[in-house]
Amino acid sequence: MPSYYQGNYGTGSHINIFYDATYFQFRNRDLRLKLMVPYISVSGLPQGARLTGGGVVHRSGTTQTRNNASGLGDIWLSAHYTVYQRTGLLPAVVPYAKVKLSTASAANGLGTGRNDYEIGMGLGQTIGTRIFPFAHLGYRFVGNPVGGNLHNIWTYDIGSSFVATPRNILTAMFSGSESEQPGYAGPADIVFAWNYNVTRAGSGIQLYGDKGLSNGSANYGVGLGAQVVF
């Protein structure tokens, strides 16, 4: 899922981020396990700034990081388990847990060098046969590097998917979080996505756009990816 983001993320610099995430996922009726391995390339990163799971932190400081850098990003592991299937007006209830492994280079500004841990709850509903609203609320325990002064944060999203045809699925979502770094705005974004399924199992392509709504987000982002389902 290669994607590109551009913005200042609350800094005085013009930052460009290329983020290419490859993921492997297992899913059955109740359980979903996911491993995501990203490659990152960034330019325009100001001195002392680092990428993190919530955007950019250490927006100013004396720590020397590279203005341009590329390499392995932070690997994410996640597990979702449906404890209650949707019935009538009651939504499906899906608690989840995530771990961000600090595999990205902190010296190059590609990560903080600390693990993050998140727990949360997801809700899913069906309206008719084509509309699928959803929402998630999570709490992230943020790994704090030396001198980082980073805070734990709440994360959230709400949106809906619409099955236009059996092959075409449209999704709109608002997502955001608190800021990990005091004194700065947290990210807030609206995302629009189009999925085209080539097979009934769900193999296909996805095109999406991201518009930042706060000073802690990218100005915009675009992505195009593909998945194969067995």
Side-chain angles (χ1 to χ4, degrees):
M1 180 66 78
S3 54
Y4 169 78
Y5 298 91
Q6 179 274 323
N8 59 32
Y9 296 92
T11 74
S13 299
H14 186 84
I15 301 173
N16 300 281
I17 301 173
F18 175 75
Y19 190 87
D20 188 2
T22 300
Y23 71 87
F24 304 89
Q25 180 171 264
F26 168 82
R27 185 171 190 169
N28 60 23
R29 182 174 180 270
D30 297 323
L31 177 65
R32 178 160 62 96
L33 303 174
K34 187 174 182 179
L35 165 67
M36 188 177 71
V37 183
Y39 170 84
I40 300 176
S41 180
V42 59
S43 65
L45 198 64
Q47 180 175 322
R50 295 176 181 174
L51 304 185
T52 181
V56 175
V57 297
H58 292 190
R59 294 167 177 83
S60 61
T62 59
T63 302
Q64 182 61 52
T65 55
R66 295 176 60 182
N67 183 261
N68 302 315
S70 301
L72 177 67
D74 289 323
I75 293 174
W76 283 88
L77 301 171
S78 62
H80 296 69
Y81 189 81
T82 302
V83 297
Y84 181 80
Q85 295 288 346
R86 181 190 63 84
T87 56
L89 297 178
L90 298 177
V93 178
V94 187
Y96 71 85
K98 295 181 179 181
V99 179
K100 186 201 80 175
L101 303 177
S102 57
T103 50
S105 171
N108 291 341
L110 299 180
T112 63
R114 295 291 188 271
N115 293 353
D116 290 355
Y117 305 91
E118 181 174 330
I119 56 174
M121 185 70 68
L123 300 176
Q125 182 59 281
T126 300
I127 301 176
T129 59
R130 293 191 174 188
I131 302 175
F132 300 88
F134 58 85
H136 298 88
L137 178 66
Y139 188 76
R140 183 174 300 171
F141 300 89
V142 177
N144 194 28
V146 176
N149 191 30
L150 303 185
H151 290 185
N152 299 336
I153 59 173
W154 288 97
T155 67
Y156 51 86
D157 66 61
I158 185 170
S160 182
S161 294
F162 172 72
V163 180
T165 71
R167 293 184 181 271
N168 292 276
I169 302 172
L170 306 175
T171 301
M173 177 179 70
F174 171 75
S175 68
S177 72
E178 294 180 293
S179 175
E180 298 178 3
Q181 189 172 8
Y184 294 90
D189 300 78
I190 187 167
V191 180
F192 297 98
W194 166 61
N195 285 72
Y196 179 77
N197 292 334
V198 177
T199 69
R200 287 188 176 184
S203 297
I205 62 172
Q206 182 186 78
L207 174 67
Y208 75 89
D210 181 307
K211 174 56 181 174
L213 303 177
S214 81
N215 198 36
S217 300
N219 290 339
Y220 68 88
V222 292
L224 174 64
Q227 65 178 5
V228 178
V229 180
F230 300 96

